[in-house]
Amino acid sequence: LNYAWVFIEPLMHLAIYYFLFGSVLNVGVDNYGLFLLCGLVPWMWFSKAVSNSANSIISGQALMLNTNMAPAFFPLVSIVYATYKQLPALLLLLMLGLVTNDKSISWNLLWLPSIMLIQLLLTSALALLLAAIIPFVRDLANLVNTGLTLLMLMSGVIYDFRSMPGRIGQWLEYNPLAILISSYREVLLEGIQPNFMGLGYVIVISVMLLLINYYFYSHNRHNFARSGMN
């Protein structure tokens, strides 16, 4: 089926989560199908980029040892590839929103590309950082999938994190990924402006992580190659 899996995979996840949480557990969210897709499609983009980048520097050790190729090249390739593969799914999400939800048709839809760019910024920052750490802490690679599952549950992909009671909901508001998913829903599901303060917070976190990445990558070029040989 080749690239058809770009559409099939999120729809399969949609069917499973819709049955479990929309029918069996009845989370009580209106238009839960579109609500789910607004969380699943951005999440799958993020998780694929991060998981594919995790071991990218280790996999590229031969090129680093024999050429002057920068270590950051390898995770960046994984990020670009994941973004390229998920763009059709994002377009599918947009079309389904326009077809199934009248509120999606508004001028606030113009904020969608900005939200996607901010997500790309955050995804790149986290993927680069993880790819930089794993060559020095190999066991961390075994925890990537578990960590992503935990992050998914903490990001409101299948529920509205703002409905969580007490301190739990307050703490989840500091999760940059939860803010991004909420922004997708505000624009596509509710037809309102995204939370600009929240998006500004995500940008600040992303820029800080990118500066850390710049320092780490620029000071460990040869250490990456040597760690790849161990």
Side-chain angles (χ1 to χ4, degrees):
L1 295 177
N2 204 0
Y3 285 101
W5 281 108
V6 173
F7 301 102
I8 295 173
E9 188 177 7
L11 293 177
M12 290 175 63
H13 283 276
L14 171 66
I16 294 170
Y17 288 122
Y18 188 88
F19 173 73
L20 288 176
F21 295 94
S23 300
V24 178
L25 298 178
N26 189 18
V27 294
V29 175
D30 294 333
N31 199 354
Y32 188 59
L34 183 59
F35 177 90
L36 262 179
L37 277 179
C38 287
L40 285 172
V41 173
W43 168 255
M44 292 176 69
W45 173 19
F46 172 84
S47 63
K48 286 181 183 295
V50 171
S51 60
N52 292 341
S53 300
N55 291 306
S56 59
I57 292 179
I58 294 175
S59 300
Q61 59 173 317
L63 282 174
M64 282 193 294
L65 289 168
N66 294 289
T67 68
N68 198 32
M69 190 169 289
F73 170 80
F74 303 101
L76 286 173
V77 167
S78 299
I79 294 165
V80 171
Y81 181 69
T83 302
Y84 167 73
K85 287 202 68 175
Q86 291 303 309
L87 280 177
L90 289 165
L91 292 175
L92 172 65
L93 171 61
L94 175 60
M95 289 188 292
L96 287 175
L98 294 175
V99 170
T100 62
N101 185 37
D102 293 337
K103 294 181 180 179
S104 297
I105 306 175
S106 71
W107 287 108
N108 291 314
L109 198 62
L110 297 176
W111 291 108
L112 187 60
S114 299
I115 298 171
M116 292 168 60
L117 285 174
I118 295 173
Q119 180 177 348
L120 179 60
L121 189 68
L122 177 66
T123 302
S124 301
L126 291 173
L128 283 165
L129 184 60
L130 182 62
I133 295 174
I134 284 180
F136 303 99
V137 188
R138 295 293 185 92
D139 289 338
L140 184 61
N142 299 316
L143 301 176
V144 171
N145 289 333
T146 304
L148 286 173
T149 301
L150 177 61
L151 184 58
M152 174 184 172
L153 296 175
M154 295 175 59
S155 301
V157 174
I158 54 181
Y159 65 93
D160 188 350
F161 77 92
R162 294 172 296 185
S163 65
M164 296 295 288
R167 291 179 177 269
I168 297 176
Q170 294 175 0
W171 280 109
L172 291 180
E173 290 180 359
Y174 293 98
N175 180 350
L177 198 59
I179 294 172
L180 282 170
I181 290 174
S182 179
S183 298
Y184 280 103
R185 287 171 177 156
E186 287 166 344
V187 170
L188 283 167
L189 194 62
E190 303 174 33
I192 62 176
Q193 290 181 342
N195 180 356
F196 296 118
M197 185 174 295
L199 290 177
Y201 166 76
V202 177
I203 292 173
V204 170
I205 294 294
S206 302
V207 170
M208 290 175 61
L209 288 175
L210 286 173
L211 290 174
I212 293 172
N213 282 321
Y214 175 77
Y215 177 84
F216 196 82
Y217 276 89
S218 60
H219 287 77
N220 288 279
R221 166 66 179 88
H222 299 292
N223 292 333
F224 280 123
R226 285 196 294 268
S227 295
M229 296 176 65
N230 296 331

